[in-house]
Every structure is written in C-alpha cells, then in structure tokens.
Amino acid sequence: MSFRINSVLRQVAAPPIADAQAWVAGRSFPADCPLLDVSQAVPSYAPALALQTFLAEQVLQPTTALYTEIAGLPALRRELAAELARDYAGTITHENIAITAGCNEAFAVTMMALAEPGDEVLLPLPYYFNQQMWLQTLGIKPVYIPFNADNHGTPDIKAIADRITGRTRALVLVTPNNPTGAIYSAEFIEQCFELAKDHGFALVLDETYKDFRDDTGTPPHRLFARADWPEALIHLYSFQGLRAYRISCRQCDSGHESAS
C-alpha cells in the first residue's frame, strides 16, 4: 500500500479469538465429550422465531429507515431508564441514557470523551481485550491493576489508589467480570466510586452481564440511589439475548413469554 497507516494503530495487539480457535482447528471431539466454546458470547443457534418475526416487521416500517435522535429513540431511552431505575432502586431518567450500537461502541465513545492521547486509564488484570485495544487505538495508556487471587479476582483498592496519577482519567470495572466471572461487591464498587470522585476522574462501570447474576432480586450496588452518582459514574450496559427475547414476546403478543 502507498498510503500511511497510523503508527499508534500498528502497535495495537490483535484480538486473541483467532488464536484460541486455532488451538482446536482440524480436531474432532466425541459425542459424549463435546467441545464447549466459551471464547465468545456468540450463540451457535438462530434467535427465537418471535424475535426474528418482530425484527422483520420493524424493517418494513418507513420510520426504520430514518435517523433517530442522536441519543437514541426517546421511547427506548425512557423504557430503559425506568427498568434500570427499578433494577438498581435508584434515580435514572431518559436524560441519563444514550443508545449506541453495542457496548463496545459505548466504551469507545466514553474513552474518546474522557481521555486524550497520553492520558491514563486504570484497567484491572485480566482485562476484556476489546477495551484494552480501544485504549491503545486511541493512544491512551492502560495502567494495569494486578490480579488479586486472594480475593477471588476483586482488585485491591490500595493497588488502585497507588496507581493514580495526574493523568488518570478513568477506572474501568467490568462486573460480572470478563474473563474471570468475578462479581464485585457493592462495598468495593462504592469504594471505587469514592476514589474516582475524590481524585476527579470517572468510574466506568461495565455491567454488560448483570442479568446473569444469581441474586438478580438485589441491586448489584447502591450508586444510583445516591444523588451524586452523575459526578463520577459512567455506566455501560448491553442488551442480552434473553432480555431481547422477552421484550419481543411482549411486543408481538405471541404468548411465548413463559418459554423464556
């Protein structure tokens, strides 16, 4: 090629998915001991018929081809805000919500809003590789928090505090964690919020997998019940397949709600 490629982009590590797939390429596994692929959250089967039907019907609507409001469909933002407010027993309005094309995009635009090239973002080990790649792509320096095996993967709060500098712009937490599965306690999350607030940076809390917790009847933390949560918290969340199926069943009135 004759054109120049961004030198920062050249330094970004390749995603590990292809390497993991290469480990089993060409191998076969017996029927009584099948391979379980947990390298990606990608189903090996088609979505529920009710969801496919609902999406097909939406494609036929003229408004589907138009631009929406920049922050997303107002009705969707209001519905999501109400549901999150119930889940967290807190105060969240549609004005706090922005819809993106997946949580990876949400993370990318969040980092672009918070940090400039050369700034630092605290990232516990092991990290979700897409988040580390986005930081590198944007020229933002990941500062790694050591893995804490003594506390089931929950980072040590002192280890976080010791790595804060004048260039720290965010602390990223993923809970339940990808890839460890660790679920951070409400107390630890609040400690991180106080740390971020005191030092003037953002706690970016990625709860993409919150609906897979065992104790879904209890809020995973109490931050949204605090009046000061917008001062230091940016919350990321992604619609999961089960929830999308339930929503589609309600809207198309197919009677499949109990099947979910």
Side-chain angles (χ1 to χ4, degrees):
M1 63 182 68
S2 59
F3 49 85
R4 183 177 179 274
I5 298 296
N6 186 339
S7 60
V8 174
L9 189 61
R10 289 184 180 276
Q11 300 174 28
V12 177
I17 297 300
D19 290 338
Q21 292 172 338
W23 298 339
V24 296
R27 297 177 58 184
S28 59
F29 299 87
D32 61 343
C33 191
L35 175 69
L36 298 179
D37 184 2
V38 294
S39 63
Q40 282 184 292
V42 179
S44 58
Y45 50 86
L49 179 60
L51 179 56
Q52 295 182 62
T53 301
F54 173 74
L55 293 175
E57 291 172 348
Q58 297 310 301
V59 170
L60 298 175
Q61 302 299 318
T63 54
T64 305
L66 303 177
Y67 283 116
T68 66
E69 291 189 12
I70 292 174
L73 292 169
L76 175 59
R77 291 165 58 209
R78 285 193 295 270
E79 183 71 21
L80 181 57
E83 183 165 321
L84 291 174
R86 289 192 297 268
D87 286 350
Y88 289 93
T91 302
I92 305 170
T93 73
H94 73 282
E95 295 179 342
N96 303 126
I97 301 289
I99 306 298
T100 60
C103 203
N104 274 320
E105 182 177 317
F107 182 82
V109 298
T110 296
M111 291 301 112
M112 285 189 283
L114 292 175
E116 300 176 358
D119 285 340
E120 300 174 353
V121 168
L122 304 174
L123 200 64
L125 294 174
Y127 49 75
Y128 173 43
F129 69 88
N130 270 39
Q131 294 181 340
Q132 189 250 19
M133 290 173 66
W134 274 119
L135 294 176
Q136 289 185 320
T137 300
L138 296 170
I140 301 167
K141 180 184 177 182
V143 175
Y144 301 114
I145 309 300
F147 179 68
N148 186 8
D150 294 335
N151 197 22
H152 307 287
T154 296
D156 180 73
I157 195 70
K158 184 177 184 302
I160 296 174
D162 288 345
R163 286 161 176 79
I164 297 172
T165 73
R167 303 220 62 164
T168 302
R169 299 294 178 259
L171 163 64
V172 176
L173 295 181
V174 182
T175 177
N177 185 263
N178 181 351
T180 69
I183 298 176
Y184 302 150
S185 69
E187 291 71 24
F188 171 74
I189 293 172
E190 290 205 27
Q191 284 181 314
C192 291
F193 175 83
E194 293 292 350
L195 201 61
K197 183 180 175 184
D198 291 345
H199 288 82
F201 60 84
L203 169 61
V204 178
L205 189 58
D206 182 343
E207 294 190 274
T208 292
Y209 306 106
K210 75 178 183 65
D211 297 324
F212 293 92
R213 295 165 28 251
D214 290 334
D215 58 340
T216 52
T218 303
H221 55 80
R222 298 175 290 271
L223 293 183
F224 286 118
R226 300 175 51 148
D228 63 347
W229 74 259
E231 296 183 23
L233 176 64
I234 297 177
H235 183 263
L236 306 181
Y237 172 64
S238 178
F239 290 109
Q240 298 297 326
L242 180 59
R243 175 156 299 189
Y245 177 47
R246 285 174 172 161
I247 291 172
S248 71
C249 286
R250 287 200 299 267
Q251 292 185 346
C252 71
D253 195 28
S254 62
H256 294 297
E257 173 69 18
S258 60
S260 64

Coordinates of all heavy atoms in Angstrom, one line a residue, residues 131-198:
Q131 N -11.5 -3.7 25.3 CA -11.3 -2.5 26.0 C -9.8 -2.0 25.9 O -9.5 -0.9 25.7 CB -11.8 -2.6 27.4 CG -13.3 -2.8 27.5 CD -13.9 -2.9 28.9 OE1 -13.1 -3.2 29.8 NE2 -15.2 -2.7 29.0
Q132 N -8.9 -3.0 26.1 CA -7.5 -2.7 26.0 C -7.2 -2.2 24.6 O -6.4 -1.3 24.4 CB -6.7 -3.9 26.4 CG -5.2 -3.6 26.6 CD -4.4 -4.2 25.5 OE1 -4.9 -4.6 24.4 NE2 -3.1 -4.4 25.7
M133 N -7.8 -2.9 23.6 CA -7.5 -2.5 22.2 C -8.0 -1.1 21.9 O -7.3 -0.3 21.2 CB -8.2 -3.5 21.2 CG -7.5 -4.9 21.2 SD -8.4 -6.1 20.3 CE -8.3 -5.4 18.6
W134 N -9.2 -0.7 22.4 CA -9.7 0.6 22.2 C -8.8 1.7 22.8 O -8.5 2.7 22.2 CB -11.1 0.8 22.8 CG -12.2 0.3 21.9 CD1 -13.1 -0.7 22.1 CD2 -12.5 0.9 20.6 NE1 -13.9 -0.8 21.0 CE2 -13.6 0.1 20.1 CE3 -11.9 1.9 19.8 CZ2 -14.2 0.4 18.8 CZ3 -12.5 2.1 18.5 CH2 -13.6 1.4 18.1
L135 N -8.3 1.4 24.0 CA -7.4 2.4 24.6 C -6.1 2.5 23.8 O -5.6 3.7 23.5 CB -7.0 1.9 26.0 CG -8.1 1.9 27.0 CD1 -7.7 1.3 28.4 CD2 -8.7 3.2 27.3
Q136 N -5.5 1.4 23.3 CA -4.3 1.5 22.5 C -4.6 2.2 21.2 O -3.8 3.0 20.7 CB -3.8 0.1 22.3 CG -3.1 -0.5 23.5 CD -2.5 -1.9 23.1 OE1 -3.0 -2.6 22.4 NE2 -1.3 -2.1 23.7
T137 N -5.7 2.0 20.6 CA -6.1 2.6 19.3 C -6.2 4.1 19.5 O -5.8 4.9 18.6 CB -7.4 2.1 18.8 OG1 -7.3 0.6 18.6 CG2 -7.8 2.7 17.5
L138 N -6.6 4.6 20.6 CA -6.8 6.0 20.9 C -5.6 6.7 21.4 O -5.6 7.9 21.7 CB -8.0 6.2 21.8 CG -9.4 5.8 21.3 CD1 -10.4 5.8 22.4 CD2 -9.8 6.7 20.1
G139 N -4.5 5.9 21.6 CA -3.3 6.5 22.2 C -3.4 6.7 23.7 O -2.6 7.5 24.2
I140 N -4.3 6.1 24.3 CA -4.5 6.2 25.8 C -3.7 5.1 26.5 O -3.8 3.9 26.0 CB -6.0 6.2 26.2 CG1 -6.7 7.3 25.5 CG2 -6.1 6.3 27.7 CD1 -8.2 7.1 25.5
K141 N -3.0 5.4 27.5 CA -2.1 4.4 28.2 C -2.9 3.6 29.2 O -3.4 4.1 30.2 CB -1.0 5.1 28.9 CG 0.0 4.1 29.6 CD 1.0 4.9 30.4 CE 1.9 3.9 31.1 NZ 3.0 4.7 31.9
P142 N -3.0 2.3 29.0 CA -3.6 1.4 30.0 C -2.7 1.3 31.2 O -1.5 1.0 31.0 CB -3.9 0.1 29.3 CG -3.6 0.3 27.9 CD -2.7 1.5 27.8
V143 N -3.1 1.5 32.4 CA -2.3 1.3 33.6 C -2.9 0.1 34.3 O -4.1 0.2 34.8 CB -2.3 2.5 34.5 CG1 -1.6 2.2 35.8 CG2 -1.7 3.7 33.8
Y144 N -2.2 -1.0 34.4 CA -2.8 -2.3 34.8 C -2.8 -2.4 36.3 O -1.8 -2.1 37.0 CB -2.1 -3.4 34.2 CG -2.1 -3.4 32.7 CD1 -0.9 -3.2 31.9 CD2 -3.3 -3.5 32.0 CE1 -1.0 -3.1 30.5 CE2 -3.4 -3.4 30.6 CZ -2.2 -3.2 29.9 OH -2.3 -3.1 28.5
I145 N -3.9 -2.9 36.8 CA -4.1 -3.2 38.3 C -3.8 -4.7 38.4 O -4.5 -5.5 37.7 CB -5.5 -2.9 38.8 CG1 -5.9 -1.4 38.4 CG2 -5.6 -3.1 40.3 CD1 -4.9 -0.4 38.9
P146 N -2.9 -5.2 39.3 CA -2.6 -6.6 39.4 C -3.8 -7.4 39.7 O -4.7 -7.0 40.5 CB -1.5 -6.6 40.5 CG -1.0 -5.3 40.6 CD -2.1 -4.3 40.2
F147 N -3.8 -8.7 39.2 CA -4.9 -9.6 39.6 C -4.7 -10.0 41.0 O -3.6 -10.3 41.5 CB -4.7 -10.9 38.7 CG -5.8 -11.9 39.0 CD1 -7.1 -11.7 38.7 CD2 -5.4 -13.1 39.6 CE1 -8.1 -12.7 39.0 CE2 -6.4 -14.1 39.9 CZ -7.7 -13.9 39.6
N148 N -5.9 -10.0 41.7 CA -5.9 -10.3 43.2 C -6.5 -11.7 43.4 O -7.7 -11.8 43.6 CB -6.7 -9.2 43.9 CG -6.6 -9.3 45.4 OD1 -5.8 -10.2 45.9 ND2 -7.4 -8.5 46.1
A149 N -5.7 -12.7 43.4 CA -6.2 -14.1 43.6 C -6.7 -14.3 45.0 O -7.5 -15.1 45.2 CB -5.1 -15.1 43.2
D150 N -6.1 -13.5 45.9 CA -6.5 -13.7 47.3 C -8.0 -13.3 47.6 O -8.6 -13.7 48.6 CB -5.6 -12.9 48.3 CG -4.2 -13.5 48.2 OD1 -4.0 -14.7 47.9 OD2 -3.2 -12.7 48.5
N151 N -8.6 -12.5 46.7 CA -9.9 -12.0 46.9 C -10.8 -12.4 45.7 O -11.7 -11.6 45.3 CB -9.9 -10.5 47.2 CG -11.3 -10.1 47.8 OD1 -12.0 -10.8 48.4 ND2 -11.6 -8.8 47.6
H152 N -10.6 -13.6 45.2 CA -11.4 -14.1 44.1 C -11.5 -13.2 42.9 O -12.5 -13.1 42.2 CB -12.8 -14.4 44.6 CG -12.8 -15.3 45.8 ND1 -12.5 -16.6 45.8 CD2 -13.1 -15.0 47.1 CE1 -12.6 -17.2 47.0 NE2 -12.9 -16.2 47.8
G153 N -10.4 -12.5 42.6 CA -10.4 -11.7 41.4 C -10.8 -10.2 41.6 O -10.6 -9.4 40.7
T154 N -11.3 -9.9 42.8 CA -11.6 -8.5 43.0 C -10.4 -7.7 43.3 O -9.6 -8.0 44.1 CB -12.6 -8.3 44.2 OG1 -13.8 -9.0 44.0 CG2 -12.8 -6.8 44.5
P155 N -10.1 -6.6 42.5 CA -8.9 -5.8 42.7 C -8.7 -5.3 44.1 O -9.7 -5.0 44.8 CB -9.0 -4.7 41.6 CG -10.0 -5.2 40.7 CD -10.9 -6.0 41.4
D156 N -7.5 -5.1 44.5 CA -7.2 -4.5 45.8 C -7.3 -3.0 45.7 O -6.7 -2.3 44.8 CB -5.8 -4.9 46.2 CG -5.4 -4.3 47.6 OD1 -5.9 -4.8 48.6 OD2 -4.6 -3.3 47.6
I157 N -8.1 -2.4 46.6 CA -8.4 -1.0 46.5 C -7.1 -0.1 46.6 O -6.9 0.9 46.0 CB -9.5 -0.5 47.5 CG1 -10.0 0.9 47.1 CG2 -9.0 -0.6 48.9 CD1 -10.9 0.9 45.9
K158 N -6.2 -0.6 47.5 CA -4.9 0.1 47.7 C -4.1 0.1 46.4 O -3.4 1.1 46.0 CB -4.1 -0.4 48.8 CG -2.9 0.4 49.2 CD -2.2 -0.2 50.4 CE -0.9 0.7 50.7 NZ 0.0 0.8 49.6
A159 N -4.1 -1.1 45.7 CA -3.4 -1.2 44.5 C -3.9 -0.2 43.4 O -3.1 0.3 42.6 CB -3.4 -2.6 43.9
I160 N -5.2 0.0 43.4 CA -5.8 1.0 42.5 C -5.3 2.4 42.9 O -4.9 3.2 42.1 CB -7.3 0.9 42.6 CG1 -7.8 -0.5 42.0 CG2 -7.9 2.0 41.7 CD1 -9.3 -0.7 42.2
A161 N -5.4 2.7 44.2 CA -5.1 4.1 44.7 C -3.6 4.4 44.4 O -3.3 5.5 44.0 CB -5.4 4.2 46.1
D162 N -2.7 3.4 44.5 CA -1.3 3.6 44.3 C -1.0 4.0 42.9 O 0.1 4.5 42.6 CB -0.5 2.4 44.8 CG -0.5 2.2 46.3 OD1 -0.8 3.2 47.0 OD2 -0.2 1.1 46.7
R163 N -1.8 3.6 41.9 CA -1.5 3.9 40.5 C -2.2 5.1 39.9 O -2.1 5.3 38.7 CB -1.9 2.6 39.7 CG -0.9 1.5 40.0 CD -1.4 0.1 39.6 NE -0.4 -0.9 39.8 CZ 0.0 -1.4 40.9 NH1 -0.6 -1.0 42.1 NH2 0.9 -2.4 41.0
I164 N -2.9 5.9 40.8 CA -3.5 7.1 40.3 C -2.4 8.2 40.2 O -1.6 8.4 41.0 CB -4.5 7.6 41.4 CG1 -5.7 6.6 41.5 CG2 -5.1 8.9 40.9 CD1 -6.7 6.9 42.6
T165 N -2.5 8.8 39.0 CA -1.5 10.0 38.8 C -2.3 11.2 38.3 O -3.6 11.1 38.2 CB -0.5 9.6 37.7 OG1 -1.2 9.5 36.4 CG2 0.1 8.2 37.9
G166 N -1.6 12.2 38.0 CA -2.3 13.4 37.5 C -2.9 13.2 36.1 O -3.7 14.1 35.6
R167 N -2.5 12.1 35.4 CA -3.1 11.9 34.1 C -4.1 10.8 34.1 O -4.6 10.4 33.0 CB -1.9 11.5 33.1 CG -0.8 12.5 33.0 CD -0.3 12.6 31.7 NE -1.2 13.1 30.7 CZ -0.9 13.6 29.5 NH1 0.4 13.7 29.2 NH2 -1.8 14.1 28.7
T168 N -4.5 10.3 35.2 CA -5.6 9.3 35.3 C -6.9 9.9 35.0 O -7.3 10.9 35.5 CB -5.7 8.7 36.7 OG1 -4.4 8.1 37.1 CG2 -6.7 7.6 36.8
R169 N -7.6 9.3 34.0 CA -8.9 9.9 33.6 C -10.1 8.9 33.9 O -11.2 9.4 33.9 CB -8.9 10.1 32.1 CG -7.8 11.2 31.7 CD -8.1 12.6 32.2 NE -7.1 13.5 31.9 CZ -6.1 13.9 32.7 NH1 -6.1 13.4 33.9 NH2 -5.2 14.8 32.3
A170 N -9.8 7.7 34.2 CA -10.9 6.7 34.4 C -10.3 5.5 35.1 O -9.2 5.1 34.9 CB -11.6 6.4 33.1
L171 N -11.2 4.8 35.8 CA -11.0 3.4 36.3 C -12.1 2.6 35.7 O -13.3 2.9 35.8 CB -11.1 3.4 37.8 CG -11.3 2.0 38.4 CD1 -10.1 1.1 38.1 CD2 -11.6 2.1 39.9
V172 N -11.7 1.5 35.0 CA -12.7 0.7 34.3 C -12.9 -0.6 35.2 O -12.0 -1.3 35.5 CB -12.2 0.3 32.9 CG1 -13.2 -0.7 32.2 CG2 -12.1 1.5 32.0
L173 N -14.2 -0.9 35.5 CA -14.5 -2.1 36.2 C -15.6 -2.9 35.3 O -16.5 -2.2 34.9 CB -15.1 -1.9 37.6 CG -14.2 -1.2 38.6 CD1 -15.0 -1.0 39.9 CD2 -12.9 -2.0 38.8
V174 N -15.4 -4.1 35.1 CA -16.4 -5.0 34.5 C -16.9 -6.0 35.5 O -16.1 -6.8 36.0 CB -15.8 -5.7 33.3 CG1 -16.8 -6.6 32.6 CG2 -15.1 -4.8 32.3
T175 N -18.2 -6.0 35.8 CA -18.7 -6.9 36.8 C -20.2 -7.3 36.4 O -20.9 -6.4 36.1 CB -18.7 -6.2 38.2 OG1 -19.3 -7.1 39.1 CG2 -19.5 -4.9 38.3
P176 N -20.5 -8.6 36.4 CA -19.6 -9.7 36.5 C -18.5 -9.6 35.4 O -18.7 -9.1 34.3 CB -20.5 -10.9 36.2 CG -21.8 -10.5 36.6 CD -21.9 -9.0 36.2
N177 N -17.3 -10.0 35.8 CA -16.1 -9.7 35.0 C -16.0 -10.6 33.8 O -16.3 -11.8 33.8 CB -14.9 -9.9 35.9 CG -13.6 -9.5 35.2 OD1 -12.9 -10.3 34.7 ND2 -13.3 -8.2 35.2
N178 N -15.4 -10.0 32.8 CA -15.0 -10.8 31.6 C -13.5 -10.6 31.5 O -13.0 -9.4 31.4 CB -15.7 -10.2 30.3 CG -15.3 -10.9 29.1 OD1 -14.4 -11.7 29.0 ND2 -15.9 -10.5 28.0
P179 N -12.7 -11.6 31.7 CA -13.0 -13.0 31.5 C -13.1 -13.9 32.8 O -13.4 -15.1 32.7 CB -11.8 -13.5 30.7 CG -10.6 -12.7 31.3 CD -11.2 -11.4 31.7
T180 N -12.9 -13.3 34.0 CA -12.8 -14.2 35.2 C -14.2 -14.6 35.7 O -14.3 -15.6 36.4 CB -12.1 -13.4 36.3 OG1 -12.9 -12.4 36.8 CG2 -10.7 -12.9 35.9
G181 N -15.2 -13.8 35.5 CA -16.5 -14.1 36.1 C -16.7 -13.6 37.5 O -17.8 -13.7 38.1
A182 N -15.7 -12.9 38.0 CA -15.8 -12.3 39.4 C -16.9 -11.3 39.5 O -17.1 -10.5 38.6 CB -14.4 -11.7 39.8
I183 N -17.6 -11.4 40.6 CA -18.7 -10.4 40.8 C -18.2 -9.5 42.0 O -18.0 -10.0 43.1 CB -20.0 -11.1 41.2 CG1 -20.5 -11.9 40.0 CG2 -21.1 -10.1 41.5 CD1 -21.7 -12.8 40.3
Y184 N -18.1 -8.2 41.7 CA -17.6 -7.3 42.7 C -18.7 -6.9 43.7 O -19.8 -6.7 43.3 CB -17.0 -6.0 42.0 CG -15.9 -6.3 41.0 CD1 -15.7 -5.5 39.9 CD2 -15.1 -7.4 41.2 CE1 -14.7 -5.7 39.0 CE2 -14.1 -7.6 40.3 CZ -13.9 -6.8 39.2 OH -12.9 -7.0 38.3
S185 N -18.3 -6.8 44.9 CA -19.3 -6.4 45.9 C -19.8 -5.0 45.8 O -19.0 -4.1 45.3 CB -18.7 -6.7 47.3 OG -17.7 -5.7 47.6
A186 N -20.9 -4.7 46.4 CA -21.4 -3.3 46.4 C -20.5 -2.4 47.2 O -20.3 -1.3 46.8 CB -22.8 -3.3 47.0
E187 N -19.9 -3.0 48.2 CA -19.0 -2.2 49.0 C -17.7 -1.8 48.2 O -17.3 -0.6 48.3 CB -18.6 -2.9 50.3 CG -19.7 -3.1 51.3 CD -20.8 -4.1 50.9 OE1 -20.5 -5.0 50.0 OE2 -21.9 -4.0 51.4
F188 N -17.2 -2.7 47.5 CA -16.0 -2.5 46.7 C -16.3 -1.4 45.6 O -15.5 -0.5 45.4 CB -15.5 -3.7 46.1 CG -14.4 -3.5 45.0 CD1 -13.1 -3.2 45.4 CD2 -14.6 -3.6 43.7 CE1 -12.1 -2.9 44.5 CE2 -13.6 -3.4 42.7 CZ -12.4 -3.1 43.2
I189 N -17.4 -1.6 44.9 CA -17.8 -0.6 43.9 C -18.0 0.8 44.4 O -17.5 1.7 43.8 CB -19.1 -1.1 43.2 CG1 -18.8 -2.4 42.4 CG2 -19.6 -0.1 42.2 CD1 -20.1 -3.1 41.9
E190 N -18.6 0.9 45.6 CA -18.7 2.2 46.2 C -17.4 2.8 46.6 O -17.1 4.0 46.5 CB -19.6 2.1 47.4 CG -21.1 1.9 47.1 CD -22.1 2.3 48.1 OE1 -21.7 3.3 48.9 OE2 -23.2 1.8 48.2
Q191 N -16.4 1.9 47.1 CA -15.1 2.4 47.4 C -14.4 3.0 46.1 O -13.8 4.0 46.2 CB -14.2 1.3 47.9 CG -14.5 0.9 49.4 CD -13.6 -0.2 49.8 OE1 -13.4 -1.2 49.1 NE2 -13.1 -0.1 51.0
C192 N -14.6 2.3 45.0 CA -14.0 2.8 43.8 C -14.7 4.1 43.3 O -14.0 5.0 42.8 CB -14.2 1.7 42.7 SG -13.2 0.3 42.9
F193 N -16.0 4.2 43.5 CA -16.7 5.5 43.2 C -16.1 6.6 44.0 O -15.8 7.7 43.5 CB -18.2 5.3 43.5 CG -19.0 6.6 43.3 CD1 -19.4 7.0 42.0 CD2 -19.3 7.4 44.3 CE1 -20.1 8.1 41.8 CE2 -20.0 8.6 44.2 CZ -20.4 8.9 42.9
E194 N -15.9 6.4 45.3 CA -15.4 7.5 46.2 C -14.0 7.9 45.8 O -13.6 9.0 45.8 CB -15.4 7.0 47.7 CG -16.8 6.8 48.3 CD -17.6 8.1 48.4 OE1 -17.0 9.2 48.3 OE2 -18.8 8.0 48.7
L195 N -13.2 6.8 45.4 CA -11.8 7.1 44.9 C -11.8 8.0 43.7 O -11.1 9.0 43.6 CB -11.1 5.8 44.7 CG -9.6 5.7 44.7 CD1 -9.1 6.1 46.0 CD2 -9.1 4.3 44.3
A196 N -12.7 7.6 42.7 CA -12.8 8.4 41.5 C -13.3 9.8 41.8 O -12.7 10.8 41.2 CB -13.7 7.7 40.5
K197 N -14.3 9.9 42.6 CA -14.9 11.2 42.9 C -13.8 12.1 43.6 O -13.7 13.3 43.3 CB -16.1 11.1 43.8 CG -16.8 12.4 44.1 CD -18.0 12.1 45.0 CE -18.7 13.4 45.4 NZ -19.8 13.2 46.3
D198 N -13.1 11.6 44.6 CA -12.1 12.3 45.3 C -11.0 12.8 44.4 O -10.4 13.9 44.7 CB -11.6 11.5 46.5 CG -12.6 11.3 47.6 OD1 -13.6 12.0 47.6 OD2 -12.4 10.4 48.4

